[in-house]
Amino acid sequence: MATVELKKLTKSFGKTEVLHGIDLMVEDGEFVVFVGPSGCGKSTTLRLLAGLDEVTSGQILIGGEVVNNLAPKERNIAMVFQNYAIYPHMTVRKNIGFGLRTAKMPKADKEKRIDEVAEILGMTDLLERRPAQLSGGQRQRVAIGRAMVRNPSVFLFDEPLSNLDAQLRTQMRLEIKKLHQDVGTTIIFVTHDQVEAMTLADRIVIMKDGHIQQVGTPSDVFQNPANMFVAQFIGAPSMNMLEGTVIDEGIQLGAGPVIAHKNQFPVDKITVGIRPSALVPATGGAPTLMAGTIAIVEPLGAESLAYVDINGTMVIATVSGRTPPIVGDVLPLTCPPEDIHFFDTASGKALS
Amino acid sequence: MTNAFDYSRKRIAPAKVIRWTLLALGGIAMVMPIVFMLSTSFKWPHEIYNLKIIPDEPTIENYTYVLEDGRFYQWFWNSLVISTITTISAVLFDSIVGYTLCKFRFRGRMIVFVAILSTLMIPTEMLVIPWYLMAKDFGWLNSYWGIMFPGIMTAFGTFLMKQFFESVPNDFLEAARIDGLNEFQIWWSVAMPLVTPALSALAIFVFLGNWTAFIWPLIVTNDPELYTLPVGLTTFSVEQSVEWELIMTGAALATIPTLIVFLVFQRYIIRGVVMTGIKG
Ligand SMILES: Nc1ncnc2c1ncn2[C@@H]1O[C@H](COP(=O)(O)OP(=O)(O)O)[C@@H](O)[C@H]1O
Ligand SMILES: [Mg+2]
């Protein structure tokens, strides 16, 4: 077990800098998820941590010790790759035991450790099989077993679930979370899927174009996004974004409605953000924030999503699943004031 | 409807006839030399210019002669040793160099690769003289090493293995690196087992190439003790006249090891050949 610290970490490939100074402190035993769109530098960060690529500048500390110049094996980390990287020519037992090949311990102890890990992962019956005879989920489990067997102080996962189908992904997500609760090892997990990030993480690190956008607990980044990118990246469907201008009564939206607001803003171009889950039909005397014609209704079961046309701008609202409104109806919408987010249109930064 | 059906049947039939005829002709063209080799090896000298496949008076006299002549065993042994050592050596060196060129980025990598590749374009006949001068200066004439040294590594095999290692995902290698294996162990215990079809195909190509090599072994040796089988067999033709029945008998015996090598590796070579797209 160990802390992980990144200090002003940068990475360039040739002349292109892809990480522009990453600062992060990961506590011992913490489950941290890096999330961001493809190409934002998540894998690169993980590879630097693992020692597979060389740091351009900055420092990496594992357990308080600078590891910049240590080989991967000397960092006591284990990594699980997206395509599992389990060897087709070896049995499950050999694959799991692979991490112990260079360990100096008696063969009997190694076998015992492999059995232990197989037991934890529920793979005891599969030890003599080859990867070709396993399902996707079982292969993933072998890859995790291979990482576990050495008792590393940090686990690194690079999109380990993205090759699995939706159902299996949900199941493996739970298993990884449970594994973390059982073994308590520090985990750094990379994904482009914000749902995975929200469900797994103690803390989420949201990245874009080689910069960290925000670090926080799942509820923190959901409730208080630091900027428009985070606001739209976290949560599905994405937050509605409406551009407007500051006037005396509040904010005049480009789409027509005025959002009343008392505070003074330092800028006059404001983007108002409202999550679809917070934008609901105005009933029982709630003040109408905006109104528009329903263009499409998407039933999701318990609730439905209504795409509402506000003078040419489409917003998504959440409506009842039992008695959804009808396409073509005019729907008045409301939203609790605390669920309205304000952003500086120019910089994208959140305004309080 | 019926007409259309008949029409289509008539159209397909000639195509089939042509296809089968061509295949049959190709098959006959390939098999005939082997048939004549076997047929001649069972003929008496006076019958060899008679093109009958079944000899009028079949005999195993030629086999008795060749096998009782002690030189045959010596040549066979020479060929076996030389081909085996060269095969092992070429397969190992080609794959380690191919792997390095494929999986490591270093200054001059492209130059090395192009240099190796360009040697593929130089025919053996052109290299024989420089090889000979080199062997002479080093004192390698009339030795196993003299026969073997040009073949201990091959440009073709290096190229082939480099291409095959492209199919080994880098994640496999990196996972092993994190598990603490050194680069040599990664090559040997992770990368190599994943390209066994290519290794088998290469082993067969190299073995056959060396087993049938003629010009170089002929030039570098003049000691009959060191002759390889193809070189030795030709001595049946210089002593008196051309003794075709003995040459064919020796040739028939010489195909046995190649058959064994092929049978052992065939389940791999078929995959390997399919994968490289090289027609065996
Ligand atoms: N070996 C490399 N050489 C050059 N550019 C690279 C290399 N690896 C990654 N990059 C670039 O770095 C950026 C970040 O990549 P990566 O970390 O893989 O993103 P992701 O967040 O999808 O994992 C991308 O723009 C990618 O093109
Ligand atoms: Mg990636």
Side-chain angles (χ1 to χ4, degrees):
Chain A
M1 297 226 246
T3 58
V4 174
E5 196 173 357
L6 307 178
K7 285 185 179 168
K8 296 201 170 49
L9 192 63
T10 73
K11 174 67 186 174
S12 305
F13 292 106
K15 290 200 166 57
T16 336
E17 193 175 79
V18 298
L19 291 181
H20 315 285
I22 302 290
D23 281 296
L24 183 71
M25 178 73 207
V26 178
E27 298 300 335
D28 190 5
E30 203 177 9
F31 197 137
V32 167
V33 177
F34 278 71
V35 67
S38 180
C40 69
K42 308 178 296 286
S43 298
T44 306
T45 312
L46 216 55
R47 293 172 56 85
L48 292 181
L49 260 168
L52 293 171
D53 280 333
E54 258 179 65
V55 170
T56 305
S57 75
Q59 282 187 325
I60 299 174
L61 291 86
I62 296 178
E65 185 197 355
V66 179
V67 297
N68 284 33
N69 296 322
L70 295 188
K73 64 176 167 191
E74 295 161 334
R75 300 185 181 199
N76 199 19
I77 40 113
M79 185 155 168
V80 177
F81 293 82
Q82 176 172 350
N83 58 22
Y84 321 140
I86 55 174
Y87 302 134
H89 58 287
M90 296 178 189
T91 59
V92 170
R93 175 181 291 282
K94 286 251 172 61
N95 265 292
I96 292 180
F98 202 83
L100 295 176
R101 262 176 79 124
T102 54
K104 287 184 180 54
M105 55 156 92
K107 195 160 183 303
D109 289 1
K110 288 185 182 178
E111 294 298 317
K112 201 164 139 256
R113 178 73 190 134
I114 295 170
D115 290 335
E116 265 170 40
V117 168
E119 179 78 43
I120 296 173
L121 295 169
M123 303 208 68
T124 309
D125 297 340
L126 305 174
L127 277 175
E128 302 315 320
R129 293 217 194 157
R130 282 180 191 261
Q133 301 162 295
L134 301 178
S135 69
Q138 289 167 335
R139 284 180 206 177
Q140 185 59 73
R141 233 167 280 167
V142 176
I144 294 172
R146 204 183 127 166
M148 284 171 66
V149 78
R150 270 187 302 137
N151 265 327
S153 50
V154 182
F155 278 122
L156 307 175
F157 286 87
D158 192 356
E159 311 221 8
L161 306 181
S162 56
N163 285 350
L164 303 177
D165 61 44
Q167 198 180 352
L168 207 52
R169 194 152 46 199
T170 316
Q171 186 193 333
M172 286 306 293
R173 210 162 68 198
L174 280 175
E175 287 188 22
I176 291 178
K177 191 154 186 164
K178 185 161 171 298
L179 185 77
H180 179 245
Q181 283 165 2
D182 292 348
V183 299
T185 309
T186 312
I187 294 185
I188 298 180
F189 187 105
V190 158
T191 177
H192 63 267
D193 178 356
Q194 57 95 17
V195 177
E196 225 164 85
M198 294 291 277
T199 48
L200 283 172
D202 291 333
R203 273 195 308 157
I204 296 185
V205 178
I206 297 148
M207 286 185 74
K208 184 193 169 206
D209 298 338
H211 290 282
I212 291 185
Q213 301 291 310
Q214 188 172 3
V215 182
T217 62
S219 75
D220 197 20
V221 297
F222 187 82
Q223 310 292 347
N224 307 305
N227 57 39
M228 281 162 63
F229 174 78
V230 174
Q232 291 209 279
F233 194 81
I234 300 291
S238 263
M239 186 183 274
N240 296 300
M241 291 295 187
L242 301 157
E243 289 186 14
T245 321
V246 177
I247 54 170
D248 289 345
E249 302 85 63
I251 295 147
Q252 168 78 56
L253 296 184
V258 172
I259 309 277
H261 194 77
K262 296 183 289 289
N263 280 4
Q264 291 295 305
F265 288 114
V267 292
D268 54 354
K269 295 285 181 203
I270 298 278
T271 298
V272 172
I274 304 173
R275 292 204 184 276
S277 55
L279 195 61
V280 294
T283 49
T288 299
L289 195 65
M290 53 183 82
T293 320
I294 299 174
I296 299 170
V297 176
E298 272 184 0
L300 297 180
E303 54 193 26
S304 298
L305 295 178
Y307 290 71
V308 182
D309 183 348
I310 316 271
N311 300 328
T313 305
M314 202 64 87
V315 298
I316 306 176
T318 306
V319 297
S320 154
R322 202 178 296 271
T323 53
I326 292 151
V327 171
D329 282 1
V330 171
L331 186 68
L333 295 167
T334 190
C335 170
E338 66 272 20
D339 283 335
I340 304 180
H341 303 266
F342 300 97
F343 303 97
D344 174 358
T345 306
S347 70
K349 288 217 167 64
L351 303 165
S352 51
Chain B
M1 284 302 274
T2 323
N3 275 348
F5 183 67
D6 286 348
Y7 180 67
S8 68
R9 271 178 69 111
K10 265 180 203 147
R11 291 269 302 195
I12 286 172
K16 258 190 186 165
V17 169
I18 292 171
R19 195 156 63 214
W20 286 106
T21 312
L22 286 176
L23 281 175
L25 285 175
I28 290 169
M30 285 207 260
V31 169
M32 279 322 276
I34 298 169
V35 170
F36 269 100
M37 174 183 81
L38 288 173
S39 154
T40 309
S41 70
F42 290 106
K43 286 178 181 172
W44 291 103
H46 66 264
E47 244 196 289
I48 57 176
Y49 292 106
N50 171 351
L51 290 183
K52 271 186 194 164
I53 288 174
I54 309 288
D56 288 336
E57 309 162 48
T59 172
I60 58 161
E61 191 59 30
N62 300 321
Y63 284 89
T64 326
Y65 180 86
V66 168
L67 291 176
E68 277 179 359
D69 183 331
R71 295 174 301 170
F72 181 84
Y73 297 105
Q74 182 62 43
W75 300 333
F76 194 95
W77 174 248
N78 293 343
S79 273
L80 200 62
V81 169
I82 286 162
S83 301
T84 306
I85 294 179
T86 339
T87 302
I88 293 170
S89 148
V91 165
L92 282 180
F93 283 118
D94 290 355
S95 48
I96 202 165
V97 174
Y99 177 79
T100 309
L101 289 172
C102 174
K103 293 296 181 191
F104 293 92
R105 301 280 167 272
F106 52 90
R107 197 178 285 271
R109 174 173 152 273
M110 270 323 279
I111 297 173
V112 173
F113 182 56
V114 170
I116 291 175
L117 213 55
S118 59
T119 65
L120 275 179
M121 292 157 207
I122 306 171
T124 311
E125 288 79 357
M126 255 178 78
L127 292 168
V128 158
I129 293 170
W131 283 344
Y132 183 84
L133 296 175
M134 194 172 144
K136 185 164 153 268
D137 289 348
F138 280 120
W140 296 344
L141 296 179
N142 282 318
S143 69
Y144 274 178
W145 175 243
I147 302 175
M148 290 188 302
F149 83 87
I152 54 167
M153 209 192 128
T154 72
F156 169 72
T158 308
F159 172 72
L160 183 82
M161 293 318 299
K162 175 183 178 291
Q163 295 313 106
F164 263 91
F165 281 120
E166 301 281 357
S167 69
V168 175
N170 287 333
D171 285 2
F172 280 8
L173 313 177
E174 289 177 343
R177 216 160 276 154
I178 289 177
D179 283 339
L181 272 70
N182 64 35
E183 295 304 323
F184 187 83
Q185 292 171 316
I186 295 173
W187 167 72
W188 180 253
S189 55
V190 178
M192 287 292 265
L194 294 172
V195 295
T196 39
L199 293 175
S200 309
L202 181 60
I204 295 179
F205 290 139
V206 174
F207 187 88
L208 291 188
N210 282 286
W211 187 258
T212 56
F214 178 68
I215 295 182
W216 176 245
L218 175 71
I219 289 172
V220 78
T221 52
N222 53 23
D223 175 358
E225 283 285 297
L226 284 169
Y227 282 172
T228 59
L229 206 42
V231 177
L233 288 182
T234 59
T235 61
F236 287 132
S237 58
V238 281
E239 280 167 4
Q240 294 115 38
S241 59
V242 184
E243 300 192 56
W244 284 114
E245 71 286 0
L246 296 183
I247 293 182
M248 290 303 153
T249 305
L253 291 168
T255 55
I256 293 171
T258 62
L259 277 179
I260 292 172
V261 168
F262 184 77
L263 288 177
V264 168
F265 288 108
Q266 67 153 346
R267 60 199 180 103
Y268 299 113
I269 198 182
I270 289 165
R271 255 170 80 201
V273 166
V274 169
M275 283 160 80
T276 43
I278 295 165
K279 303 272 153 27

